[in-house]
């Protein structure tokens, strides 16, 4: 092994896990200092990750991929799975994102959860999440990845329902859990297919053999594997058709939404697909479906985002849409992998920053999330307004902010290809950029610009809720400032000289440069024009004109978008109700046919016994007569048989 | 004398015994019927032994006698015990095991 720090990899998982165990096992005794232990565990993990990153940067590019095997995990006949850690530029990118953003959000949470009696438990769950997420990205086999995959699902469930005193929160947690199970089923089936096709589930064996596997097992099997992996990714990353849980997941505390449901966990699906790149390339049909799902979700999230008045749900719809961009890029093949991860990274920064800003606004507005009751907050919350503003410019893709470098590259990559695909995917991505600009500007202007639609307790504000907004404490503003700096600069720094793409090449392979069907300068101009148009429309509608405090009457599409394009109704009528009818029919047939059959048999035997009991009359003579009769019958039979 | 006459006698004795068991109520008399049936069987055994020139039937007859003697001991003891507790030797009075 050329990387000296390779053996540090297990500590990346162990450190936050120890933090979680101490906080969750020791219980109330750690209440006073537990949150700082959580921050320390996360920060220590970041330091370990940083040491490994620096070592990796000092290693020649072709020696940056390594595995650290701790020991044998499963050894059962032909199946052999090692407990091993995959350390390469892709997993290190995630390690840095998770631990850096994670640590910032830990710090933020110290202040955000200040008045919560269960703050220590909250930090225990956060540490558990960091450990599981790092296991997910560092695993060197699908099976170990699955352990982390389930771990983040558990942490997500526990944190969405953290305030489970309220029924909706507990229901939201359960909804996320159940919908994620559907996706997990895909990953389980994919692993079984991999075992059947390749006889192994570790990346080192499966991925290099993907091409031969396609030749041996047929493209149908590879397509099935690809689609099952996509199903898993859809569940975790809230893509169509398993997207409905993400909006409700906003029931969790805002730092959770920032860390888990914006920056890291929901992007695990993109990680899974990029990691499985060779498998998808062996199944072009599945790859096309990935791109279609990404493009559809991109539009779906963007449309929903335009109509949401709940600041967190608007951001959640935006997350869904941005992950749609990443999925689209992942479905484009090697030309898109690096940009999918690049956008994931920059999105992790600016979306976490936006969520932390939303949390800060909610803090100031007594936990109100209705943007129609915000307005004019820029003067009162200057730090929040500026940091969120920078995040807003980044997600819009305004140069030179981070989002410009990553999102424009995806749009450009979407326009590469032949036939109808570049036009459909490219125009979808382009249109998505315009809608993104509209809904994010709407969110920003509704919150910070215009006249205030809340009351400061003075006269003349009849009916408006009384609020006393104030800027959040330094523990909350500093993480926001750091993330805002990342939103501004990270994209540009990593994009210069294609640094990030080159950095990922040991994993994603070198992609030949292809010219898009439209010239690049035209694409950039078109994107910027659409972004400006979107932002201008939002400015006119929500900053210049007065925002009504009640949702105004609107056309059918907007009304549908306000209820998430009827996603719950669709799920309920297509899946839930038929499922309920099916189970009820099964219960009924079980009761009538199966139970009825056996109970009837038992009853029949009972009645027969009652009938036969009458012969048991207690008279010895009748028993003797029966015996004699039996003897006669036996004698008769013997006589008949003998003659 | 035809040797089969012995078998006919055995059958008649068995039938008388069986009829006694089935029709009489006094336990002692029923018991006598049982003894008569056993002895009819013994007669049939001995007759067959004679017909086949084989002593197995005679040996079996001895077995039956021994078992019958033991059975008489136990059976009479039971009848006496029942008589003491119920003041009756009728088999129809001991129908406690009816349905």
């Amino acid at each position: 092994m050329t990387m000296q720090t390779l053996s540090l990899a297990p500590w990346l998982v162990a450190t936050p896990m120890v933090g979680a165990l101490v906080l969750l096992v020791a219980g109330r005794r750690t209440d006073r200092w537990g949150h700082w232990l959580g921050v320390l565990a996360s920060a220590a993990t970041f330091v370990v990750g940083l040491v490994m990153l620096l070592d990796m940067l000092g290693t020649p590019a072709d020696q940056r991929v390594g595995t650290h095997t701790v020991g044998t995990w499963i050894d059962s006949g032909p199946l052999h799975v090692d407990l091993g850690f995959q350390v390469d530029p892709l997993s290190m990118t995630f390690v840095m994102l998770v631990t850096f953003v994670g640590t910032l959000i830990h710090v933020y949470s110290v202040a955000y959860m200040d008045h919560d009696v269960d703050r220590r438990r909250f930090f225990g769950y956060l540490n558990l999440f960091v450990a599981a997420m790092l296991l997910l990205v560092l695993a060197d086999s699908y099976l170990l990845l699955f352990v982390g995959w389930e771990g983040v699902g558990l942490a997500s469930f526990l944190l969405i329902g953290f305030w489970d005193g309220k029924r909706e929160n507990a229901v939201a947690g359960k909804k996320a859990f159940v919908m994620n199970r559907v996706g997990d089923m895909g990953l389980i089936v994919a692993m079984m297919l991999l075992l059947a096709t390749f006889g192994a589930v570790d990346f080192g064996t499966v991925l290099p053999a993907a091409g031969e596997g396609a030749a041996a097992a047929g493209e149908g099997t590879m397509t099935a594997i690809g689609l099952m992996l996509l199903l898993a990714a859809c569940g975790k990353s809230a893509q169509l058709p398993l997207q409905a849980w993400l909006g409700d997941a906003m029931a969790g505390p805002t730092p959770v939404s920032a860390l888990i449901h914006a920056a890291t966990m929901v992007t695990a699906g993109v990680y899974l697909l990029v990691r499985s790149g060779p498998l998808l390339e062996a199944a072009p049909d599945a790859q096309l479906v990935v791109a279609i799902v990404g493009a559809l979700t991109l539009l779906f999230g963007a449309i929903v985002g335009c109509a949401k008045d709940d600041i967190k749900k608007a951001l959640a719809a935006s997350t869904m849409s941005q992950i749609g961009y990443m999925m689209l890029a992942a479905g484009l093949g090697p030309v898109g992998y690096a940009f999918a991860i690049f956008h994931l990274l920059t999105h992790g920064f600016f979306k976490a920053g936006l969520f932390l800003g939303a949390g800060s606004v909610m803090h100031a507005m007594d936990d109100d999330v209705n943007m129609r009751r915000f307005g004019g907050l820029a003067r009162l919350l200057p730090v929040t307004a500026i940091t969120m503003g920078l995040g807003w410019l980044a997600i819009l893709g305004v140069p030179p902010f981070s989002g410009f470098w990553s999102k424009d590259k995806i749009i450009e990559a979407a326009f590469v290809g032949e036939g109808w695909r570049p036009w459909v995917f490219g125009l979808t991505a382009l249109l998505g950029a315009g809608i993104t600009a509209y809904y994010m500007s709407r969110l920003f202007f509704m919150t910070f610009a215009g006249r205030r639609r809340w009351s400061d307790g003075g006269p003349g504000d009849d009916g408006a809720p009384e609020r006393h907004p104030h800027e959040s404490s330094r523990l909350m503003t500093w993480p926001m400032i750091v993330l805002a700096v990342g939103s501004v600069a990270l994209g540009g720094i990593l994009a210069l000289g294609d640094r990030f793409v080159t950095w990922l090449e040991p994993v994603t392979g070198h992609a030949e440069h292809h010219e898009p069907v439209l010239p690049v300068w035209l694409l950039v101009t078109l994107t910027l024009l659409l972004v400006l148009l979107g932002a201008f429309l939002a400015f006119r509608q929500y900053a210049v004109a007065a925002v009504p405090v009640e949702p105004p009457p609107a056309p059918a599409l907007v009304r549908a978008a306000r209820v998430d394009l009827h996603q719950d109704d669709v799920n309920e009528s297509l899946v839930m109700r038929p499922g309920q009818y099916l189970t009820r029919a099964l219960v009924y047939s079980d009761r009538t046919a199966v139970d009825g059959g056996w109970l009837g048999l038992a009853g029949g035997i009972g009645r027969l016994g009652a009938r036969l009991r009458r012969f048991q009359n207690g008279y010895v003579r009748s028993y003797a007569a029966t015996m004699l009769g039996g003897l006669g019958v036996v004698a008769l039979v013997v006589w008949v048989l003998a003659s | 004398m035809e040797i089969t006459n012995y078998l006919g006698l055995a059958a008649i004795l068995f039938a008388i015994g069986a009829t006694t068991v089935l029709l009489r109520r006094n336990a002692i008399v029923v018991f006598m019927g049982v003894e008569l049936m056993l002895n009819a069987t013994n007669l049939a055994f001995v007759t067959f032994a004679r017909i086949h020139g084989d002593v197995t039937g005679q040996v079996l007859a001895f077995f039956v006698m021994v078992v019958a003697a033991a059975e008489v001991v136990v059976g009479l003891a039971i009848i006496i015990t029942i008589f003491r507790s119920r003041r009756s030797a009728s088999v129809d009075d001991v129908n406690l095991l009816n349905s």
Side-chain angles (χ1 to χ4, degrees):
Chain A
M1 276 304 129
T2 43
M3 264 183 66
Q4 293 153 2
T5 54
L6 203 57
S7 55
L8 285 178
W11 291 105
L12 287 172
V13 180
T15 315
M17 190 49 102
V18 168
L21 282 179
V22 169
L23 290 178
L24 294 177
V25 174
R28 294 257 169 237
R29 268 164 299 208
T30 58
D31 266 0
R32 241 162 18 89
W33 43 269
H35 44 283
W36 289 115
L37 178 74
V39 174
L40 182 70
S42 183
T45 318
F46 171 68
V47 171
V48 175
L50 193 64
V51 169
M52 292 182 71
L53 178 76
L54 291 176
D55 183 29
M56 186 177 276
L57 285 171
T59 315
D62 53 343
Q63 291 163 356
R64 282 178 185 167
V65 178
T67 12
H68 176 71
T69 306
V70 178
T72 302
W73 181 20
I74 296 171
D75 193 6
S76 160
L79 175 66
H80 182 93
V81 185
D82 277 336
L83 190 68
F85 294 88
Q86 174 92 20
V87 181
D88 56 24
L90 179 59
S91 56
M92 281 318 290
T93 306
F94 268 89
V95 167
M96 291 324 288
L97 174 69
V98 172
T99 54
F100 184 69
V101 176
T103 305
L104 289 178
I105 290 173
H106 273 75
V107 173
Y108 177 93
S109 305
V110 171
Y112 190 84
M113 303 296 283
D114 195 20
H115 300 297
D116 202 298
V117 287
D118 283 325
R119 180 165 64 168
R120 185 243 345 143
R121 187 162 62 91
F122 180 81
F123 275 84
Y125 292 159
L126 274 190
N127 272 358
L128 175 70
F129 167 77
V130 171
M133 187 72 201
L134 291 176
L135 183 62
L136 194 164
V137 296
L138 284 167
D140 79 333
S141 67
Y142 283 98
L143 200 58
L144 192 57
L145 180 148
F146 189 62
V147 177
W149 188 270
E150 292 299 296
V152 293
L154 169 69
S156 162
F157 165 74
L158 291 169
L159 286 165
I160 293 171
F162 186 73
W163 290 316
D164 53 7
K166 265 175 75 184
R167 191 180 150 73
E168 305 95 272
N169 298 352
V171 170
K174 205 166 70 179
K175 183 173 175 183
F177 199 73
V178 169
M179 295 201 79
N180 267 293
R181 288 288 79 67
V182 180
D184 296 346
M185 195 55 82
L187 192 49
I188 292 173
V189 174
M191 282 195 286
M192 289 175 183
L193 287 170
L194 285 173
L195 264 182
T197 314
F198 300 96
V201 287
D202 58 305
F203 299 143
T205 314
V206 171
L207 298 181
E212 302 152 34
E219 208 183 296
T221 313
M222 299 308 289
T223 306
I225 293 175
L227 289 179
M228 285 298 124
L229 288 174
L230 173 63
L231 180 66
C234 284
K236 197 56 92 197
S237 294
Q239 301 291 292
L240 286 168
L242 297 175
Q243 82 290 0
W245 63 270
L246 188 61
D248 291 357
M250 296 301 120
T254 309
V256 173
S257 311
L259 178 62
I260 301 185
H261 304 117
T264 54
M265 185 196 83
V266 285
T267 56
V270 180
Y271 168 79
L272 180 72
L273 291 182
V274 171
R275 178 62 85 190
S276 313
L279 288 173
L280 285 173
E281 281 153 44
D285 292 342
Q287 213 175 13
L288 179 62
V289 179
V290 172
I292 292 175
V293 165
L296 284 177
T297 313
L298 185 172
L299 283 183
F300 185 99
I303 292 170
V304 170
C306 291
K308 283 284 171 192
D309 293 329
D310 179 326
I311 186 169
K312 285 183 74 183
K313 291 201 169 172
L315 283 173
S318 155
T319 303
M320 198 189 288
S321 170
Q322 297 300 312
I323 297 173
Y325 270 106
M326 301 171 207
M327 293 288 263
L328 173 63
L332 295 173
V335 67
Y337 293 153
F339 301 134
I341 300 297
F342 189 23
H343 193 52
L344 194 159
L345 188 64
T346 55
H347 174 259
F349 273 82
F350 59 67
K351 187 53 71 62
L354 284 166
F355 261 114
L356 294 190
S360 174
V361 171
M362 283 164 63
H363 223 69
M365 301 298 278
D366 299 342
D367 283 334
D368 191 6
V369 288
N370 184 5
M371 292 190 290
R372 293 193 182 277
R373 285 294 181 188
F374 292 173
L377 289 173
R379 200 169 39 83
L380 294 155
L381 310 173
V383 181
T384 308
I386 292 170
T387 53
M388 267 188 102
L390 295 174
W392 164 61
L393 292 172
I395 195 172
L396 252 57
V398 175
F401 295 91
S402 285
F404 168 75
W405 304 100
S406 52
K407 197 198 278 178
D408 261 36
K409 284 289 181 189
I410 292 181
I411 296 175
E412 200 183 306
F415 269 107
V416 172
E418 288 165 1
W420 56 273
R421 289 182 198 183
W423 295 104
V424 172
F425 293 144
L427 289 176
T428 309
L430 199 59
L431 180 65
I435 309 180
T436 304
Y438 175 76
Y439 69 72
M440 285 311 298
S441 309
R442 171 178 180 270
L443 184 147
F444 186 78
F445 292 137
M446 271 177 110
T447 306
F448 293 109
R451 291 172 53 82
R452 64 180 165 86
R453 298 177 292 280
W454 40 273
S455 160
D456 59 359
D461 289 319
D462 297 331
E466 189 176 327
R467 306 276 185 241
H468 300 283
H470 54 89
E471 187 58 277
S472 306
S473 67
R474 292 218 181 123
L475 273 178
M476 282 168 74
T477 50
W478 271 105
M480 287 154 59
I481 292 168
V482 175
L483 287 172
V485 170
S487 311
V488 173
L490 187 72
I493 293 172
L494 292 178
L496 279 183
D498 276 345
R499 257 184 229 164
F500 192 73
V501 178
T502 321
W503 157 252
L504 279 183
E505 260 174 15
V507 182
T508 57
H510 180 72
E512 291 301 319
H513 184 71
H514 295 283
E515 278 305 312
V517 291
L518 292 175
V520 174
W521 64 265
L522 182 63
L523 287 178
V524 174
T525 319
L526 273 176
T527 312
L528 283 180
L529 280 178
L530 270 173
V531 165
L532 281 180
L533 178 69
F536 173 72
L537 283 176
F539 177 75
R540 216 185 51 177
Q541 197 175 345
Y542 294 102
V544 178
V547 179
V549 291
E550 290 300 323
L557 181 64
V558 178
R559 269 181 288 138
R562 279 178 190 157
V563 290
D564 302 298
L565 296 176
H566 299 292
Q567 60 184 10
D568 291 334
D569 298 337
V570 170
N571 283 344
E572 276 170 22
S573 53
L574 281 185
V575 181
M576 192 187 95
R577 297 258 156 67
Q580 283 177 334
Y581 288 134
L582 181 68
T583 51
R584 271 179 216 157
L586 285 176
V587 167
Y588 178 76
S589 62
D590 181 53
R591 285 212 181 121
T592 49
V594 180
D595 284 7
W598 291 112
L599 290 175
L601 185 65
I605 289 174
R607 278 190 294 279
L608 187 68
R611 200 70 49 91
L612 288 175
R613 203 173 57 184
R614 293 194 195 141
F615 293 105
Q616 199 79 10
N617 54 14
Y619 293 118
V620 179
R621 281 177 296 118
S622 74
Y623 300 160
T626 313
M627 281 167 70
L628 193 66
L631 190 67
V633 170
V634 169
L636 195 68
V637 168
V638 168
W639 182 65
V640 168
L641 287 179
S643 59
Chain B
M1 204 161 79
E2 273 294 324
I3 205 153
T4 48
N5 288 347
Y6 291 102
L7 287 180
L9 178 64
I12 292 167
L13 286 175
F14 189 90
I16 293 171
T19 316
T20 310
V21 169
L22 292 182
L23 297 182
R24 297 301 296 264
R25 290 185 185 163
N26 190 317
I28 305 285
V29 180
V30 169
F31 220 65
M32 284 158 67
V34 171
E35 289 304 313
L36 198 56
M37 286 158 74
L38 286 169
N39 281 309
T41 323
N42 275 351
L43 183 57
F45 270 134
V46 174
T47 309
F48 282 124
R50 181 74 182 212
I51 290 172
H52 294 295
D54 182 353
V55 292
T56 314
Q58 302 198 13
V59 173
L60 263 177
F62 275 110
F63 273 113
V64 171
M65 280 183 210
V66 172
V67 173
E71 178 233 335
V72 166
V73 172
V74 177
L76 282 176
I78 291 172
I79 290 169
I80 287 168
T81 316
I82 289 175
F83 184 77
R84 276 186 185 158
S85 64
R86 310 209 135 214
R87 290 278 137 208
S88 156
S90 167
V91 286
D92 285 4
D93 288 344
V94 258
N95 60 349
L96 289 175
L97 284 178
N98 70 352
S99 58

Short mmCIF file of all heavy atoms in Angstrom, two decimals, chain A residues 587-616:
data_model
loop_
_atom_site.label_atom_id
_atom_site.label_comp_id
_atom_site.label_asym_id
_atom_site.label_seq_id
_atom_site.Cartn_x
_atom_site.Cartn_y
_atom_site.Cartn_z
N VAL A 587 -56.80 -11.66 4.69
CA VAL A 587 -57.26 -11.97 6.03
C VAL A 587 -58.60 -12.69 5.96
O VAL A 587 -58.83 -13.69 6.63
CB VAL A 587 -57.38 -10.68 6.86
CG1 VAL A 587 -58.16 -10.94 8.14
CG2 VAL A 587 -56.01 -10.13 7.20
N TYR A 588 -59.48 -12.17 5.06
CA TYR A 588 -60.80 -12.78 4.95
C TYR A 588 -60.70 -14.21 4.46
O TYR A 588 -61.30 -15.13 5.04
CB TYR A 588 -61.66 -11.96 3.98
CG TYR A 588 -63.03 -12.52 3.77
CD1 TYR A 588 -64.01 -12.35 4.74
CD2 TYR A 588 -63.33 -13.23 2.62
CE1 TYR A 588 -65.27 -12.90 4.55
CE2 TYR A 588 -64.58 -13.77 2.43
CZ TYR A 588 -65.55 -13.60 3.39
OH TYR A 588 -66.78 -14.14 3.21
N SER A 589 -59.87 -14.43 3.41
CA SER A 589 -59.80 -15.79 2.88
C SER A 589 -59.10 -16.70 3.89
O SER A 589 -59.43 -17.88 3.99
CB SER A 589 -59.06 -15.80 1.54
OG SER A 589 -57.76 -15.35 1.73
N ASP A 590 -58.17 -16.13 4.66
CA ASP A 590 -57.53 -16.95 5.69
C ASP A 590 -58.56 -17.39 6.72
O ASP A 590 -58.60 -18.54 7.13
CB ASP A 590 -56.43 -16.12 6.37
CG ASP A 590 -55.70 -16.92 7.42
OD1 ASP A 590 -55.23 -18.02 7.11
OD2 ASP A 590 -55.62 -16.44 8.56
N ARG A 591 -59.43 -16.42 7.11
CA ARG A 591 -60.42 -16.76 8.14
C ARG A 591 -61.44 -17.75 7.61
O ARG A 591 -61.79 -18.70 8.29
CB ARG A 591 -61.14 -15.49 8.59
CG ARG A 591 -60.26 -14.67 9.49
CD ARG A 591 -61.05 -13.91 10.54
NE ARG A 591 -60.10 -13.13 11.32
CZ ARG A 591 -60.14 -11.81 11.42
NH1 ARG A 591 -61.10 -11.14 10.85
NH2 ARG A 591 -59.24 -11.18 12.12
N THR A 592 -61.93 -17.49 6.37
CA THR A 592 -63.02 -18.35 5.89
C THR A 592 -62.48 -19.67 5.36
O THR A 592 -62.92 -20.74 5.80
CB THR A 592 -63.81 -17.65 4.79
OG1 THR A 592 -62.88 -17.15 3.83
CG2 THR A 592 -64.63 -16.51 5.34
N ALA A 593 -61.51 -19.62 4.45
CA ALA A 593 -61.09 -20.86 3.79
C ALA A 593 -60.17 -21.69 4.69
O ALA A 593 -60.48 -22.83 5.02
CB ALA A 593 -60.39 -20.52 2.48
N VAL A 594 -59.06 -21.08 5.12
CA VAL A 594 -58.06 -21.87 5.85
C VAL A 594 -58.56 -22.19 7.26
O VAL A 594 -58.74 -23.36 7.62
CB VAL A 594 -56.72 -21.12 5.90
CG1 VAL A 594 -55.69 -21.93 6.65
CG2 VAL A 594 -56.24 -20.83 4.49
N ASP A 595 -58.86 -21.11 8.02
CA ASP A 595 -59.35 -21.35 9.37
C ASP A 595 -60.65 -22.14 9.34
O ASP A 595 -60.85 -23.07 10.12
CB ASP A 595 -59.60 -20.02 10.09
CG ASP A 595 -58.30 -19.39 10.52
OD1 ASP A 595 -57.25 -19.94 10.14
OD2 ASP A 595 -58.33 -18.37 11.23
N GLY A 596 -61.55 -21.76 8.41
CA GLY A 596 -62.84 -22.42 8.33
C GLY A 596 -62.67 -23.90 8.06
O GLY A 596 -63.34 -24.74 8.68
N GLY A 597 -61.75 -24.25 7.14
CA GLY A 597 -61.53 -25.65 6.82
C GLY A 597 -61.09 -26.44 8.04
O GLY A 597 -61.70 -27.46 8.39
N TRP A 598 -60.07 -25.92 8.70
CA TRP A 598 -59.54 -26.70 9.83
C TRP A 598 -60.51 -26.70 11.01
O TRP A 598 -60.69 -27.73 11.66
CB TRP A 598 -58.19 -26.15 10.26
CG TRP A 598 -57.16 -26.41 9.22
CD1 TRP A 598 -56.52 -25.50 8.45
CD2 TRP A 598 -56.67 -27.69 8.80
NE1 TRP A 598 -55.67 -26.13 7.57
CE2 TRP A 598 -55.74 -27.47 7.77
CE3 TRP A 598 -56.93 -29.01 9.20
CZ2 TRP A 598 -55.08 -28.50 7.13
CZ3 TRP A 598 -56.26 -30.04 8.56
CH2 TRP A 598 -55.34 -29.79 7.53
N LEU A 599 -61.14 -25.53 11.25
CA LEU A 599 -62.10 -25.51 12.35
C LEU A 599 -63.26 -26.44 12.05
O LEU A 599 -63.77 -27.12 12.95
CB LEU A 599 -62.61 -24.09 12.60
CG LEU A 599 -61.57 -23.14 13.20
CD1 LEU A 599 -62.14 -21.74 13.28
CD2 LEU A 599 -61.16 -23.62 14.58
N GLY A 600 -63.69 -26.49 10.77
CA GLY A 600 -64.78 -27.38 10.38
C GLY A 600 -64.40 -28.83 10.59
O GLY A 600 -65.19 -29.63 11.12
N LEU A 601 -63.16 -29.15 10.22
CA LEU A 601 -62.69 -30.53 10.41
C LEU A 601 -62.70 -30.89 11.89
O LEU A 601 -63.21 -31.96 12.29
CB LEU A 601 -61.28 -30.66 9.84
CG LEU A 601 -60.68 -32.06 9.85
CD1 LEU A 601 -61.49 -32.96 8.91
CD2 LEU A 601 -59.24 -32.03 9.42
N ALA A 602 -62.17 -29.98 12.71
CA ALA A 602 -62.14 -30.24 14.14
C ALA A 602 -63.55 -30.39 14.69
O ALA A 602 -63.84 -31.30 15.48
CB ALA A 602 -61.40 -29.11 14.86
N GLY A 603 -64.45 -29.50 14.23
CA GLY A 603 -65.84 -29.57 14.70
C GLY A 603 -66.49 -30.88 14.28
O GLY A 603 -67.22 -31.51 15.07
N GLY A 604 -66.21 -31.30 13.04
CA GLY A 604 -66.79 -32.54 12.54
C GLY A 604 -66.34 -33.73 13.39
O GLY A 604 -67.15 -34.58 13.78
N ILE A 605 -65.05 -33.75 13.71
CA ILE A 605 -64.52 -34.85 14.53
C ILE A 605 -65.16 -34.81 15.91
O ILE A 605 -65.54 -35.84 16.48
CB ILE A 605 -62.99 -34.77 14.60
CG1 ILE A 605 -62.41 -35.15 13.24
CG2 ILE A 605 -62.45 -35.69 15.68
CD1 ILE A 605 -60.94 -34.97 13.12
N GLY A 606 -65.33 -33.59 16.43
CA GLY A 606 -65.98 -33.45 17.74
C GLY A 606 -67.40 -34.01 17.72
O GLY A 606 -67.80 -34.76 18.61
N ARG A 607 -68.15 -33.65 16.65
CA ARG A 607 -69.54 -34.13 16.57
C ARG A 607 -69.58 -35.65 16.41
O ARG A 607 -70.41 -36.33 17.02
CB ARG A 607 -70.25 -33.45 15.41
CG ARG A 607 -70.77 -32.07 15.75
CD ARG A 607 -71.67 -31.55 14.66
NE ARG A 607 -70.95 -31.32 13.41
CZ ARG A 607 -70.22 -30.23 13.19
NH1 ARG A 607 -70.13 -29.28 14.10
NH2 ARG A 607 -69.58 -30.08 12.05
N LEU A 608 -68.65 -36.18 15.62
CA LEU A 608 -68.58 -37.63 15.44
C LEU A 608 -68.31 -38.31 16.79
O LEU A 608 -68.95 -39.32 17.13
CB LEU A 608 -67.47 -37.95 14.45
CG LEU A 608 -67.36 -39.42 14.02
CD1 LEU A 608 -68.57 -39.81 13.19
CD2 LEU A 608 -66.07 -39.65 13.23
N GLY A 609 -67.39 -37.70 17.56
CA GLY A 609 -67.07 -38.25 18.88
C GLY A 609 -68.30 -38.26 19.78
O GLY A 609 -68.57 -39.23 20.48
N ALA A 610 -69.07 -37.15 19.73
CA ALA A 610 -70.27 -37.06 20.57
C ALA A 610 -71.25 -38.17 20.18
O ALA A 610 -71.91 -38.76 21.05
CB ALA A 610 -70.91 -35.69 20.39
N ARG A 611 -71.34 -38.42 18.89
CA ARG A 611 -72.22 -39.49 18.41
C ARG A 611 -71.74 -40.84 18.94
O ARG A 611 -72.50 -41.64 19.47
CB ARG A 611 -72.15 -39.43 16.89
CG ARG A 611 -73.17 -40.01 16.05
CD ARG A 611 -74.56 -39.43 15.94
NE ARG A 611 -74.77 -38.04 15.71
CZ ARG A 611 -74.88 -37.49 14.51
NH1 ARG A 611 -74.72 -38.17 13.42
NH2 ARG A 611 -75.19 -36.21 14.41
N LEU A 612 -70.41 -41.07 18.79
CA LEU A 612 -69.84 -42.37 19.18
C LEU A 612 -69.90 -42.59 20.69
O LEU A 612 -69.95 -43.71 21.16
CB LEU A 612 -68.38 -42.45 18.72
CG LEU A 612 -68.15 -42.62 17.22
CD1 LEU A 612 -66.67 -42.57 16.90
CD2 LEU A 612 -68.75 -43.94 16.74
N ARG A 613 -69.95 -41.46 21.44
CA ARG A 613 -69.91 -41.57 22.89
C ARG A 613 -71.13 -42.34 23.42
O ARG A 613 -71.08 -42.95 24.48
CB ARG A 613 -69.88 -40.17 23.48
CG ARG A 613 -69.29 -40.09 24.86
CD ARG A 613 -69.14 -38.67 25.27
NE ARG A 613 -70.44 -37.98 25.19
CZ ARG A 613 -70.59 -36.68 25.43
NH1 ARG A 613 -69.55 -35.96 25.73
NH2 ARG A 613 -71.77 -36.11 25.35
N ARG A 614 -72.21 -42.28 22.65
CA ARG A 614 -73.44 -42.92 23.14
C ARG A 614 -73.27 -44.42 23.28
O ARG A 614 -73.98 -45.06 24.05
CB ARG A 614 -74.58 -42.63 22.17
CG ARG A 614 -74.93 -41.17 22.21
CD ARG A 614 -76.25 -40.88 21.53
NE ARG A 614 -76.31 -39.44 21.31
CZ ARG A 614 -76.82 -38.89 20.23
NH1 ARG A 614 -77.33 -39.65 19.28
NH2 ARG A 614 -76.83 -37.60 20.11
N PHE A 615 -72.32 -45.00 22.52
CA PHE A 615 -72.10 -46.45 22.65
C PHE A 615 -71.45 -46.78 23.99
O PHE A 615 -71.48 -47.90 24.45
CB PHE A 615 -71.21 -46.95 21.51
CG PHE A 615 -71.88 -46.87 20.17
CD1 PHE A 615 -71.55 -45.89 19.26
CD2 PHE A 615 -72.90 -47.78 19.85
CE1 PHE A 615 -72.18 -45.82 18.04
CE2 PHE A 615 -73.54 -47.70 18.63
CZ PHE A 615 -73.18 -46.72 17.72
N GLN A 616 -70.88 -45.80 24.60
CA GLN A 616 -70.16 -46.01 25.87
C GLN A 616 -71.20 -45.90 26.99
O GLN A 616 -71.23 -44.94 27.72
CB GLN A 616 -69.09 -44.92 26.01
CG GLN A 616 -67.98 -45.19 26.98
CD GLN A 616 -66.95 -46.11 26.40
OE1 GLN A 616 -66.97 -46.40 25.22
NE2 GLN A 616 -66.06 -46.59 27.25
#
